[in-house]
Amino acid sequence: MPSEINALNNARTIADVQRQKSDPSDISMDDFLKILSASMSNPTVMGGDSGGSGGNAGTDYIGQFIQFTSLQQMKEIGDAMSTSLQMNQQQQAFDMIGRTVTVEDQEGQASGKVEKVKFVNGYATIVVSGKEYYMSAIQEVGERE
């Protein structure tokens, strides 16, 4: 009977963690540890064998923990790189103010002086002759006037 109650509580813990997240791939270290402890306290819930013949269950948990922390660290590195890229692009855009540029648009190419810089979702855009362009549209950069 106690293992049935354990199994029910563990299943509730896992279901609660899944319900709290809007994106199923968005899981915190705390959530992972809750699921891990629930599955370790009752291996039958997570598909483990109840006979105890699986001698490497502990190393499986450690391997999963290592993989999870590695993925979490890679996500943090990716976020930091994205922020760094945005800051670099913003600095480059500020440096364009007053320069003559040639940009590619739907009608072909347009040239003019960069009048100002705007930001769309953190990414820099430049304004040339009253029209807004992404930095990737720049074909040529001239001297400041």
Side-chain angles (χ1 to χ4, degrees), residues 29-80:
M29 179 65 77
D30 189 46
D31 296 336
F32 177 77
L33 292 174
K34 284 179 186 177
I35 292 170
L36 185 61
S37 71
S39 65
M40 287 177 76
S41 65
N42 189 355
T44 58
V45 172
M46 298 304 286
D49 69 358
S50 57
S53 63
N56 67 348
T59 57
D60 289 347
Y61 293 128
I62 292 169
Q64 290 173 358
F65 182 73
I66 290 170
Q67 284 180 329
F68 181 79
T69 54
S70 296
L71 287 172
Q72 190 175 31
Q73 288 173 349
M74 284 193 298
K75 183 185 179 306
E76 289 172 8
I77 290 170
D79 291 346

Side-chain angles (χ1 to χ4, degrees), residues 92-120:
Q92 288 176 343
F94 286 132
D95 190 49
M96 294 285 172
I97 295 175
R99 290 183 182 261
T100 301
V101 294
T102 302
V103 290
E104 186 77 31
D105 63 5
Q106 292 86 5
E107 294 122 25
Q109 290 187 339
S111 291
K113 187 171 82 171
V114 176
E115 300 162 358
K116 60 183 167 181
V117 173
K118 290 186 175 184
F119 297 97
V120 177

Side-chain angles (χ1 to χ4, degrees), residues 13 17 38 40 42 52 54 57 72 82-83 86 92-93 96 107 110-112 119 126 129 135 137-138 141:
T13 301
V17 167
M40 287 177 76
N42 189 355
Q72 190 175 31
S82 179
T83 300
Q86 282 182 339
Q92 288 176 343
M96 294 285 172
E107 294 122 25
S111 291
F119 297 97
I126 58 170
S129 302
M135 294 284 288
I138 297 173
V141 178

